[in-house]
Amino acid sequence: MREETQMTIDFGIKNAPRKFAKTLAAGIALGMLALPGAAAAQERVKVEWWHALGGRLGEVVEKLVTDFNGSQDQYEVVAVHKGNYEENMAAMVAAYRVGQQPTIIQAAERGFMTMLNSGAVVPVPTLMEEQGHDVDWNDFIAPVSGFFLVDGVPAALPFNSSTPIFWYNRDMFKEAGFDAPGETWQEVEKQLYAIKEQGVSECSMALANDFFWSLIENYAALHDQPYGTLANGFDGLGTEFVFNKSPLVVGQLERLSKWMDDEVLQIAGQGLSPEQLFTSGTCATYVASTAAHAGIGSGAQFDWSATFLPHEEGVEPKNSTIGGGALWVLQGKSDEEYAGAAAFIDFVASPETQVWWSKQTGYVPVTTTAYNALKSEGYFKENPTREIAILQLSRGEPTENSRGFRFGNHNQSMQLLVEEIQGVWTGQKTAQEALDNAARRGNEILRQYERLHASQ
Amino acid sequence: MIERNLGLTIFCHAVLLLGAAAVCLPLYFAFVAGSLTLQEVQQTPFPWVPGTHFLDNIATAWNQGNFSRLYINSLIVTVGIVVGKLTISLIAAFAITYFRFPFRMTAFWLIFVSLMLPVEVRIIPTYEAVADAAGPLRWFADITGISWLVGSVTGYQLEAALQWNMVNTYSGLILPLIASASATFLFRQFFLTVPEELCEAARLDGAGPVKFFLDILLPLSRANIAALSIILFIYGWNQYLWPLLFTTDAEMQTAILGLKHLVPVSDAEPAWNIAMSAAFFVMLPPAVIILLMQRWFTKGLVDSGK
Amino acid sequence: MQVDPFGAREIFVGFANFAQLLGSPDYRQSVFFTLWFTVIQAVVTIALALLFAFATDFVIRGRGLYKSVILMPYAIAPVISGVLWAFLFNPAVGPLAQFIQSLGIPWDPNRRPFDAQLLVIVASVWKHICYDYIFLVAALLAVPQSLLEAAKLDGARPVRRFFTISLPLVTPTIFFLMVMNVVYGLFETFGIIDAVTRGGPAGATNTLVYKVYQDGFVQLNLGSSAAQSVILMIIAILFTVLQFRALERRVNYQV
């Protein structure tokens, strides 16, 4: 490697005519070096997997990969942590354009359309079939895989799925005279105000960073409110945002804004994770993903618990929707790599792995078999809060408004929504104005996406 | 020459003390954070007094992130970048200031305009360029029929031979970052202040341009080179986005990437204590460079020659 | 062009991207904020750095120590410094925020756009002062002692010497730094903005370069991002040309 560095620094300074000859020589030399290297290969086929999980979750991922590699000797999965979801995507896109892409990539559910319509993926069911793996797609928990369904089977393997639940500080609630949070927003509101007024805590609720997911999108799903037309985009690219037309959604935003003005609800802001506000005992409640189990379990020094998300009085709540990532398989790789990928996916989807993964991380197990295994183990009796997510996800019959969504470039429209809502927090706009703007700007993005993919 | 102006001296010391304090306050808090345990680091309000776990956290962080290898990578890459940048910009500034050739100012402006786009914005095209560095050559060879010629004569596929892929190599990490408009600009400013008489004198003595450059300009530029080395070293050391995109091999990553992996993300535990302690040892080489290089300024080398 | 990030699909839309940008009030607001943010932080950074450089040049004792300490922030990884600032001024838990609040000021960058803008300016200046400081110290050192001695013999006091001799002689460096500061403000501050405010609240601290980064890198809207980069480049070039024309005349290159 030393030689390489020196050679190329010289290269920069010497003059141009020699450049061609040198490149040729270098090229041939490198090319010839590479070939025998690849041919005299290790017996194992390397399968590259790029993911976005760092910290403790990253460690669990490493263990997962090590377990897989240890369980057989044909393939070796190499897991690379490429930053967060966006960086992961950007890296993959850049790599794809020059043929350097990995075999498997973890992408967030928001990126679903981008991945699906990219022409760069091999749908997971196709892969599994080609490689001769038998997967029972019906075993996948409906709300989890429903998000990813294309023609009845999920195009990507749901990997780390979660849904928001309502975390609360039981000590604080008891001190204020309540046993548990109410089931409706109205009851909860009374309780939160009481907690503040009685001086039990300065802050009754911490606002999660992904509140647009947990408190707006999921709110719409739970209350069977359409987020967009055409079944939230499942039925076509011509979908339009209509969440601003729902008085319930607007009311929800107005309610949050009022809580914020009264300092019942607090934003964590940058530099601080809202989870910390909860685990340090500052705020009494927190609406966040069930994956927060790991952090809350280790950080909270008080009696904590969780329950279902509240719903409006008089409305029968539907299921909530998932968030999280899925595993996609990219095109342009060799057959052996695909075989390895298929074996890995099989491994990940197996009940044993799902049970282990769910316990370690707090993410929801994706198959009913795994779920039942956990149940029969008595796991949920010991940890009742772990089951809430699944129960909430599978509650009732999903409607077209609660299956999730299919919006092109949803990253962008979501960003706009957050920006507009911030206008409400700063007092520059009313809730209705913010939502109207967000819908209007979001629709521009949807139309752009539609135009770009019109031929499909 | 000792100045006896007590008022001004006190004022200056005061300003500098305030400045130093203001500048170091965030660092102090980082240190405090790095010295707490996982529980303590999550408490509110945040303590102003450090805890006792600094060394433990450093050890954990070092092992967790496999920093020994990362450190070496960072060093190699950074030194490469500094040397490369200095060389290229000195030569370029020299050319621009002292020679008259057609398109001289255009070249200067082009170089300058490239300043305008930081790496992040041109990252995807740069990646394409570097991963397939011989692409243009291949294209050229195709167009002119050379590849056909070579193919039929030697049986070698020129295409395959011209695959020059620098992904996951040191050169790939260094090369795209060594062109520097700011350094060129700085040297150009500096060279413009060098008196014409010096140049005349050198020419009268029979020195050619290269000798002038090596024996006169370079020594004069020492303070600037020292200053720039600090800046460039730190720039190279702290590069995040490019190594992130470019390396898939964990063995080829840089220390900064290792640090970023330790910084807690939303779904994970807020292990800020580990991340902050790691920040300190990642900061170590740049800090050492600063401490060493700033002494060059006091040597008074600059005074000679004028 | 509108592109699909994978490069598979491209539609040439002519100037539609540009038109959309220039027509959007949010974009125009960004331009406005970017301009005054850049200018303010450029001027403040240089002024402070000049002050520190002058003081460093003047004091005899502890010079090396001051230099080292003031330069330290430059060594911190940008990813850490951004996070540190966000944390220190976080209204809920940040020590400095609490200090400000104890003075009676309702500090909240999450809900008060002005606070967020101020925070972003302070963080950017902090990070960049070292850069200006280093070059100014080097430049002040290059001022020939002979001139200063002569002036002293003529009875000029230190501050006067600074303004009449040192300052004019370091104008090449100051000019260089002004240009660099503007470039820094326009382009390299997005890391700080990303860590400290994410362009919020409600787009109050959304500078042009941050939008380029967001749209191109995060949202993968490469077409719009490229168009924004072009506009940004044009602005930068205009700024620079203006500076060269207006200020370079005042710069003394030859002693």
Side-chain angles (χ1 to χ4, degrees):
Chain A
M1 274 187 280
R2 270 288 139 87
E3 269 98 27
E4 251 189 292
T5 314
Q6 266 186 325
M7 176 176 88
T8 40
I9 286 188
D10 280 339
F11 181 86
I13 298 183
K14 293 214 168 93
N15 28 27
R18 314 246 283 244
K19 189 171 148 179
F20 182 68
K22 269 221 162 146
T23 316
L24 194 50
I28 294 182
L30 284 173
M32 293 184 57
L33 276 177
L35 285 173
Q42 312 111 335
E43 306 101 18
R44 290 183 179 252
V45 176
K46 274 207 174 148
V47 177
E48 243 180 72
W49 173 34
W50 292 5
H51 66 93
L53 299 174
R56 209 185 135 268
L57 287 174
E59 280 169 41
V60 182
V61 163
E62 290 295 321
K63 181 97 192 0
L64 176 72
V65 165
T66 317
D67 283 347
F68 173 70
N69 292 337
S71 72
Q72 43 77 39
D73 59 5
Q74 280 179 297
Y75 313 107
E76 187 182 338
V77 169
V78 177
V80 181
H81 172 47
K82 271 298 201 174
N84 56 27
Y85 282 125
E86 287 105 14
E87 287 161 350
N88 207 17
M89 280 291 270
M92 184 261 302
V93 162
Y96 186 81
R97 294 175 91 138
V98 284
Q100 296 285 326
Q101 74 275 23
T103 315
I104 312 181
I105 182 166
Q106 178 203 22
E109 90 286 357
R110 253 148 243 290
F112 183 76
M113 287 297 263
T114 312
M115 296 301 293
L116 187 63
N117 291 331
S118 64
V121 297
V122 176
V124 169
T126 319
L127 175 81
M128 300 306 269
E129 220 183 284
E130 277 173 12
Q131 298 291 335
H133 288 263
D134 208 5
V135 181
D136 181 8
W137 297 110
N138 291 320
D139 192 26
F140 281 76
I141 300 186
V144 172
S145 62
F147 194 98
F148 301 102
L149 288 181
V150 176
D151 293 332
V153 277
L157 182 78
F159 182 56
N160 51 320
S161 305
S162 66
T163 200
I165 58 181
F166 194 80
W167 300 88
Y168 66 98
N169 184 329
R170 239 205 299 242
D171 288 337
M172 281 189 181
F173 267 72
K174 281 216 191 64
E175 211 183 306
F178 306 114
D179 274 333
E183 278 186 20
T184 64
W185 281 107
Q186 284 73 10
E187 281 173 39
V188 168
E189 185 165 25
K190 287 206 200 73
Q191 290 172 325
L192 294 182
Y193 271 86
I195 289 182
K196 182 154 172 93
E197 272 149 32
Q198 289 180 23
V200 174
S201 162
E202 275 294 305
C203 151
S204 305
M205 183 186 265
L207 186 69
N209 281 334
D210 50 9
F211 67 87
F212 50 86
W213 171 64
S214 49
L215 290 172
I216 308 273
E217 280 171 16
N218 263 287
Y219 180 87
L222 279 168
H223 295 83
D224 201 13
Q225 298 289 304
Y227 201 78
T229 55
L230 297 179
N232 283 352
F234 271 85
D235 287 343
L237 287 177
T239 172
E240 273 181 22
F241 286 119
V242 289
F243 51 79
N244 56 321
K245 304 216 173 90
S246 152
L248 282 180
V249 174
V250 177
Q252 166 79 327
L253 186 56
E254 280 170 355
R255 174 190 296 130
L256 292 174
S257 171
K258 171 161 156 283
W259 289 5
M260 194 163 298
D261 287 335
D262 292 338
E263 291 185 11
V264 165
L265 173 66
Q266 226 177 58
I267 307 184
Q270 292 289 97
L272 176 69
S273 101
E275 193 178 295
Q276 253 176 287
L277 277 180
F278 179 68
T279 52
S280 63
T282 313
C283 291
T285 60
Y286 181 46
V287 173
S289 146
T290 176
H293 265 104
I296 295 186
S298 70
Q301 309 276 4
F302 48 81
D303 187 17
W304 55 268
S305 184
T307 181
F308 297 94
L309 288 178
H311 57 90
E312 294 286 344
E313 226 159 41
V315 173
E316 180 71 36
K318 297 279 165 204
N319 57 300
S320 57
T321 53
I322 58 157
L327 298 183
W328 292 86
V329 177
L330 295 177
Q331 291 207 2
K333 310 303 282 185
S334 70
D335 280 328
E336 295 97 35
E337 282 167 311
Y338 282 136
F344 182 62
I345 291 184
D346 206 32
F347 179 76
V348 169
S350 68
E352 304 81 37
T353 317
Q354 283 297 310
V355 166
W356 171 80
W357 173 255
S358 178
K359 279 195 193 162
Q360 289 288 317
T361 58
Y363 284 120
V364 169
V366 302
T367 55
T368 325
T369 323
Y371 174 47
N372 287 333
L374 281 168
K375 246 202 305 205
S376 57
E377 248 182 53
Y379 183 68
F380 294 128
K381 291 246 176 12
E382 285 170 36
N383 308 287
T385 52
R386 295 261 179 167
E387 204 181 1
I388 296 182
I390 310 181
L391 290 173
Q392 198 176 260
L393 279 172
S394 29
R395 170 165 65 190
E397 223 10 83
T399 67
E400 23 175 72
N401 297 322
S402 65
R403 252 194 298 165
F405 49 74
R406 283 280 167 86
F407 300 121
N409 288 337
H410 196 48
N411 269 345
Q412 297 180 33
S413 28
M414 169 209 95
Q415 182 77 3
L416 291 178
L417 178 67
V418 170
E419 211 180 281
E420 292 293 336
I421 292 187
Q422 282 177 340
V424 177
W425 306 151
T426 59
Q428 290 165 339
K429 301 189 184 149
T430 67
Q432 183 72 58
E433 276 171 1
L435 289 176
D436 286 341
N437 274 345
R440 180 178 48 83
R441 291 166 76 185
N443 282 334
E444 277 170 27
I445 295 185
L446 286 176
R447 298 289 71 79
Q448 242 182 20
Y449 190 80
E450 197 184 358
R451 262 203 309 276
L452 200 58
H453 294 268
S455 49
Q456 283 196 301
Chain B
M1 155 180 100
I2 312 280
E3 190 86 25
R4 305 224 71 233
N5 191 329
L6 198 55
L8 192 54
T9 313
I10 293 185
F11 172 72
C12 286
H13 274 287
V15 160
L16 286 174
L17 278 171
L18 266 177
V23 139
C24 282
L25 199 56
L27 283 176
Y28 173 70
F29 277 110
F31 174 67
V32 171
S35 63
L36 304 172
T37 63
L38 187 58
Q39 305 291 35
E40 291 167 352
V41 85
Q42 290 181 60
Q43 52 177 277
T44 58
F46 196 77
W48 283 69
V49 182
T52 52
H53 296 258
F54 195 64
L55 293 175
D56 297 329
N57 288 341
I58 287 197
T60 320
W62 184 271
N63 292 326
Q64 212 173 314
N66 184 23
F67 273 97
S68 26
R69 174 68 200 226
L70 298 188
Y71 232 63
I72 297 180
N73 287 343
S74 278
L75 277 172
I76 295 181
V77 169
T78 308
V79 168
I81 290 180
V82 172
V83 168
K85 270 193 191 261
L86 279 176
T87 320
I88 290 191
S89 32
L90 274 170
I91 296 180
F94 180 57
I96 286 180
T97 319
Y98 284 98
F99 292 86
R100 301 257 174 288
F101 50 88
F103 300 119
R104 179 175 69 112
M105 282 321 277
T106 321
F108 177 63
W109 279 103
L110 272 179
I111 295 179
F112 198 69
V113 161
S114 76
L115 233 197
M116 305 291 167
L117 286 179
V119 175
E120 292 77 4
V121 167
R122 46 186 158 93
I123 198 134
I124 292 186
T126 311
Y127 188 92
E128 277 189 46
V130 179
D132 195 18
L137 276 170
R138 277 211 312 277
W139 175 82
F140 178 73
D142 269 339
I143 298 273
T144 56
I146 296 183
S147 41
W148 171 85
L149 190 64
V150 173
S152 50
V153 168
T154 61
Y156 261 122
Q157 274 294 24
L158 195 62
E159 284 265 338
L162 281 185
Q163 287 282 348
W164 190 13
N165 184 349
M166 293 195 279
V167 178
N168 272 328
T169 62
Y170 284 125
S171 19
L173 281 172
I174 296 179
L175 282 186
L177 300 175
I178 59 174
S180 169
S182 53
T184 311
F185 185 36
L186 173 73
F187 285 127
R188 177 236 187 208
Q189 293 300 94
F190 179 68
F191 289 166
L192 284 175
T193 67
V194 172
E196 300 255 338
E197 297 82 44
L198 266 177
C199 190
E200 296 275 348
R203 226 182 300 153
L204 281 176
D205 282 348
V210 177
K211 202 154 161 55
F212 175 65
F213 179 66
L214 290 176
D215 291 341
I216 300 191
L217 278 186
L218 277 189
L220 279 180
S221 324
R222 258 193 249 218
N224 275 315
I225 292 185
L228 210 51
S229 314
I230 298 187
I231 303 277
L232 293 178
F233 184 88
I234 295 181
Y235 167 81
W237 184 267
N238 284 341
Q239 269 299 307
Y240 169 67
L241 207 54
W242 180 245
L244 176 70
L245 268 200
F246 209 60
T247 53
T248 50
D249 188 356
E251 293 288 297
M252 286 301 291
Q253 295 194 343
T254 59
I256 282 281
L257 285 184
L259 179 60
K260 186 69 187 312
H261 289 330
L262 287 178
V263 171
V265 274
S266 42
D267 276 347
E269 285 175 344
W272 286 104
N273 50 334
I274 310 273
M276 286 296 158
S277 58
F280 274 93
F281 64 68
V282 168
M283 200 175 116
L284 205 53
V288 164
I289 293 281
I290 289 181
L291 285 173
L292 287 179
M293 298 301 263
Q294 61 85 22
R295 285 188 307 148
W296 278 39
F297 296 152
T298 60
K299 282 235 176 117
L301 287 167
V302 205
D303 227 7
S304 53
K306 286 238 174 171
Chain C
M1 280 220 274
Q2 272 182 22
V3 258
D4 165 54
F6 290 85
R9 225 167 260 117
E10 295 174 352
I11 304 182
F12 190 72
V13 289
F15 288 102
N17 274 329
F18 290 100
Q20 193 236 355
L21 285 172
L22 294 173
S24 117
D26 306 294
Y27 191 72
R28 289 199 297 264
Q29 193 203 7
S30 273
V31 172
F32 185 61
F33 174 68
T34 307
L35 288 178
W36 79 259
F37 163 75
T38 305
V39 168
I40 290 189
Q41 65 91 32
V43 168
V44 170
T45 312
I46 271 205
L48 281 179
L50 205 50
L51 181 61
F52 290 148
F54 169 67
T56 313
D57 196 46
F58 188 71
V59 303
I60 315 283
R61 271 193 288 205
R63 208 183 261 174
L65 188 60
Y66 283 128
K67 267 193 269 181
S68 311
V69 169
I70 295 188
L71 287 178
M72 272 311 146
Y74 208 65
I76 308 183
V79 60
I80 293 287
S81 67
V83 158
L84 262 180
W85 277 91
F87 168 69
L88 286 176
F89 281 95
N90 184 295
V93 294
L96 292 181
Q98 286 171 342
F99 175 66
I100 296 181
Q101 280 164 348
S102 67
L103 293 176
I105 307 176
W107 171 262
D108 191 350
N110 297 314
R111 305 192 65 196
R112 289 159 46 117
F114 180 70
D115 290 357
Q117 292 171 336
L118 193 58
L119 184 56
V120 151
I121 291 181
V122 168
S124 309
V125 166
W126 181 83
K127 190 92 216 313
H128 202 60
I129 266 193
C130 328
Y131 189 86
D132 288 10
Y133 177 71
I134 248 194
F135 286 113
L136 284 173
V137 167
L140 279 178
L141 270 176
V143 172
Q145 283 289 65
S146 39
L147 285 178
L148 290 170
E149 291 272 0
K152 185 171 169 239
L153 285 174
D154 281 348
R157 314 217 25 253
V159 178
R160 179 122 192 231
R161 289 207 299 274
F162 177 73
F163 279 105
T164 51
I165 302 185
S166 307
L167 197 51
L169 285 178
V170 298
T171 39
T173 310
I174 293 189
F175 178 66
F176 164 75
L177 288 174
M178 271 307 272
V179 174
M180 294 309 292
N181 283 352
V182 165
V183 169
Y184 169 79
L186 282 179
F187 294 98
E188 287 165 52
T189 44
F190 81 83
I192 292 193
I193 294 183
D194 192 39
V196 177
T197 56
R198 299 229 126 173
T205 55
N206 221 351
T207 59
L208 290 178
V209 72
Y210 188 68
K211 281 179 76 63
V212 166
Y213 173 71
Q214 269 292 315
D215 291 348
F217 199 75
V218 174
Q219 311 287 4
L220 294 178
N221 183 358
L222 297 177
S224 178
S225 173
Q228 289 180 39
S229 314
V230 171
I231 297 184
L232 189 53
M233 263 182 70
I234 294 181
I235 293 183
I237 293 179
L238 275 176
F239 241 113
T240 313
V241 167
L242 270 174
Q243 283 183 301
F244 265 91
R245 290 244 184 274
L247 299 179
E248 205 180 16
R249 232 166 282 163
R250 307 236 197 117
V251 176
N252 304 307
Y253 282 114
Q254 299 292 327
V255 175

